Amino acid sequence: MGGITTGTGIGQPVRRREDLRLITGRGRYSDDLNLPNQAYAVMVRSPYAHALIRSLDTEASAAMRGVLAVLTSEDVRRDGLNPMPHIANAHPADISIKNKDGAPVDRPQHQLIVFPEVCHVGEIVAVVVATSRDAAKDAAERVAIDWKPLPAVARARDAAEPNAPRARQDFPNIILDGEVGDAAATAAAFVAAAHVVKFDTWVQRIAGVPMEPRAAVGEYDPATGLYTLHAGAGGAVSPRRDLATVLGVPPEQVRMVMHDVGGNFGTRGSLNVEFALVVWAAKRLGRPVKWTSDRSEYFVADYQARDLTATAELALDKDGTFLAMRGSNMVNQGAYAIAFGSLNKGVEIMSSLYHLPAVHFRARAALTNTLPTRPYRSSGRPEVIFVIERLIDLAARQTGIDRIELRRRNLVPEHAMPYTNPFGMVYDSGHYHEVMERVLKLGDWEGFATRRTEARARGRCRGIGVANYVDTATGAPREKVEMTVIPDGAVEVAIGTVSQGQGHETTFAQLVGEWLGVSYDCIRLVTGDTARVSVGGGAHSGRALRLGSIVMLNASNEIIEKGKDIAAHLFEANVADIEFRGGEFVVTGTDRRIHIFEVAREALQRNDLPAELRGPLQGIGDETVTLAAFPYGCHICEVEVDPETGVVDIVRYSAVDDVGRAVNPMIVHGQVHGGIVQGVGQVLMEDACYDLDTAQPMAGSFMDYAMPRADCVPFFDCELSEVPSPTPPLGVRPAGEGGTTPALAVVINAVVDALAEFGVRHVEMPATPERVWRAIRTAQQGKS
């Protein structure tokens, strides 16, 4: 029971203690759970992007062997189930975009089973439940449906056209049309500008493709009226709330249980329709019901991401000082408006970490006949950082000012902090110039010309790109923890946030272990079960460690103060003379001491303690954090392009990211590396494409949807900057999204730089070999 184990405290690169369990097959994922007498559900999905159901006949399906039920929209209506709520986790620090005409934002209701109008491929029109999955799949094919196909629209820019097909018969295609900024001041700045640069782009749609496909098991206990959902999501508390809304019962009648989650990144962060259906079916049938998705179903069932159509202009004076920025952002919501987060959180940092005196942007959300989109790693920010960093490179080309110098002249200086950007976001702190200068050295920017010459001798075109970024971390503002010191040598930490691979079992243990002076091996993390946790926003928008550290610190302090009171009674000393250090309560100036675990035992066993000191040695932290955090950094990428084939190879990648304070640098580097690779995937290959005439998804498996692999990237040169944020007690800034946020911009900047000798000014994503090859040929033809 000594003090903290050497080398496991805050700031130490401790190996993740959960990894051994996971890589040896002892993880527990949603599909690993099987309950006695469980049945199996299979979803009957629409093959059309937009259609009306003339008739739906379940008779043949219901008569098949092993079938227990075939559920339709009529059953949903009869049982009084409510639509999916899709409640947004609004944060007071984020901007709110409203319709410029003052009209309320109206969103389509998301029914569990749709009828008669289906609005994207994969919409659920019936559910078959049988004694085996194979029986359910066979019966699903026997559901007879008479369809009337309707015109469909896949892209937001097409949906915004006056004569575009309606994505829904009872809704306009544009459901949100707002404006942000000062239109008059921006217009005046553009009139006075010496240079104006314009950039039009479409940041393509991608799929989240977590390693683990979704699965769920639903239960219902008629004796207690308790519904239980076993499933992986972004958290346990909010899905429980939403499921209770769907079922029309108080939250106390719903339990959400989740164990290990094989990736989230936002697209699987909330309650899904299938989750509600298995719980409802379990009640109807009086037995547990399980559903498991496979990868093919995933591509027509799970939420997708990105899909921003943007037009932007940058105004500069003759010296390259930024005067104003204006433009339009339009997000493709898909068939339902699950959340407006990527639109709001993108627009609010369009200016990034540059000083822009005036801005004006139009912000729209479009309905289409595609799968709904949802926030995905660094929701909305990679897209807008891509826009402004491409604009700056284009401005450098147009004005003849060096692209690094152009950035230096316009970065917000340290002395301006805290800095209010033109959209109203208050950046708390940052050493933006310092971080850029560090990465320029790390990436050997000055030595690039030599590397380009060497590559040219090998017949390759080498390019280098740079991108600065700032990220906004907000998310659900409230978090809670209940910490209990257990006499047998453990500290139980029951907290509302959950891990989907971020390493909470390690980092949270490092924090609590240091604060309470015990080995981090003693820390037991309890998450993901609403029978134990009732408050918490899960893991999204960089909130888990940022908010978790605040409530765990407060709970630790409460435990220590209570422990001091107990120790004072045990030693018959003045509480002012009790110190806490190294896991022990010590009477100042003496050798009298007692370990925290012994104090916990005495609190449970002694009857002579005051009533308020008896019982478990426990601390509770419950905080609502209304301030945002602002991670930032700068990345450099070098690529080589084969001009004969268009193949792009990333040959060098350097990054400096400011995380405020790194609790575990190794885990932070892992987060940065993973984020970079996800960004690289979108830049070079990932594309959840749709047929523009039918809105049919064209990527239905990994044969169609390309994913980055280890050989797609080099070893990264990454360093951390640790300028403490002044808002949280530990000074931490989130690290999970910084790798992705600048990656789109920095890689494309490098690709365009490599192709500059051919006259190429831009390459849209994904920069596939064909697209790069065509860009070269088109530019060459334009010169001839």
Side-chain angles (χ1 to χ4, degrees), residues 16 43 114 126 172 337 349 478 482 496 536 576 590 616 630 646 667 685 721:
R16 292 175 19 135
M43 309 298 156
V114 299
I349 59 160
R478 188 181 175 195
E482 297 180 12
T590 75
F630 297 93
I667 289 180
M685 60 198 72
S721 168

Side-chain angles (χ1 to χ4, degrees), residues 218-532:
E219 294 183 86
Y220 178 73
D221 184 349
T224 62
L226 180 68
Y227 297 87
T228 301
L229 171 64
H230 304 266
V237 176
S238 61
R240 174 206 192 194
R241 174 202 64 202
D242 293 351
L243 180 55
T245 299
V246 170
L247 297 172
V249 300
E252 293 75 23
Q253 282 184 238
V254 176
R255 181 186 180 192
M256 173 78 176
V257 182
M258 52 186 291
H259 298 285
D260 293 312
V261 181
N264 171 16
F265 310 116
T267 55
R268 65 184 294 178
S270 62
L271 182 75
N272 294 88
V273 172
E274 297 87 353
F275 295 175
L277 288 171
V278 295
V279 175
W280 169 57
K283 180 183 180 182
R284 287 184 62 100
L285 297 175
R287 61 198 291 182
V289 175
K290 181 175 185 176
W291 168 77
T292 301
S293 175
D294 58 27
R295 192 61 72 181
S296 295
E297 185 176 24
Y298 164 83
F299 279 103
V300 296
D302 281 42
Y303 300 140
Q304 297 181 336
R306 307 291 191 229
D307 207 338
L308 173 73
T309 300
T311 296
E313 291 181 287
L314 181 65
L316 307 88
D317 70 11
K318 61 182 179 58
D319 298 318
T321 301
F322 298 165
L323 302 177
M325 186 182 184
R326 65 186 178 191
S328 168
N329 286 5
M330 181 162 53
V331 168
N332 187 342
Q333 298 283 161
Y336 295 97
I338 305 299
F340 295 119
S342 61
L343 182 65
N344 294 356
K345 290 175 78 68
V347 170
E348 69 189 21
I349 59 160
M350 282 296 302
S351 58
S352 187
L353 35 63
Y354 302 101
H355 177 60
L356 270 157
V359 296
H360 181 252
F361 266 81
R362 186 181 186 186
R364 288 176 289 174
L367 294 177
T368 64
N369 298 114
T370 60
L371 273 85
T373 54
R374 199 181 183 282
Y376 173 74
R377 199 168 193 171
S378 192
S379 170
R381 283 91 82 193
E383 299 98 304
V384 301
I385 296 300
F386 174 75
V387 171
I388 190 167
E389 291 292 329
R390 288 296 302 126
L391 269 172
I392 294 171
D393 267 25
L394 290 169
R397 244 166 120 162
Q398 182 171 315
T399 62
I401 302 172
D402 177 77
R403 50 190 162 150
I404 297 298
E405 181 58 30
L406 196 55
R407 288 171 168 86
R408 285 187 179 122
R409 293 178 189 180
N410 291 283
L411 284 171
V412 174
E414 182 183 343
H415 65 76
M417 297 294 172
Y419 172 80
T420 302
N421 84 1
F423 298 97
M425 301 299 288
V426 182
Y427 301 168
D428 54 13
S429 60
H431 294 184
Y432 302 154
H433 285 86
E434 179 182 312
V435 163
M436 188 174 76
E437 298 305 324
R438 278 183 61 182
V439 82
L440 291 173
K441 292 180 180 178
L442 181 65
D444 188 22
W445 186 274
E446 294 299 325
F448 172 72
T450 301
R451 297 191 292 278
R452 168 174 273 176
T453 301
E454 186 274 331
R456 187 172 286 118
R458 293 184 282 106
R460 297 291 186 268
C461 302
R462 191 162 178 134
I464 190 168
V466 63
N468 287 294
Y469 78 92
V470 67
D471 190 10
T472 52
T474 51
R478 188 181 175 195
E479 190 56 64
K480 182 180 180 181
V481 68
E482 297 180 12
M483 285 171 45
T484 306
V485 180
I486 301 171
D488 66 2
V491 179
E492 183 181 86
V493 180
I495 190 167
T497 188
V498 297
S499 174
Q500 300 105 39
Q502 294 95 331
H504 294 176
E505 290 180 41
T506 303
T507 53
F508 287 13
Q510 288 180 258
L511 292 172
V512 176
E514 177 160 317
W515 291 330
L516 296 184
V518 300
S519 168
Y520 96 128
D521 291 321
C522 298
I523 312 302
R524 301 175 185 170
L525 198 59
V526 177
T527 64
D529 185 349
T530 56
R532 297 296 313 277

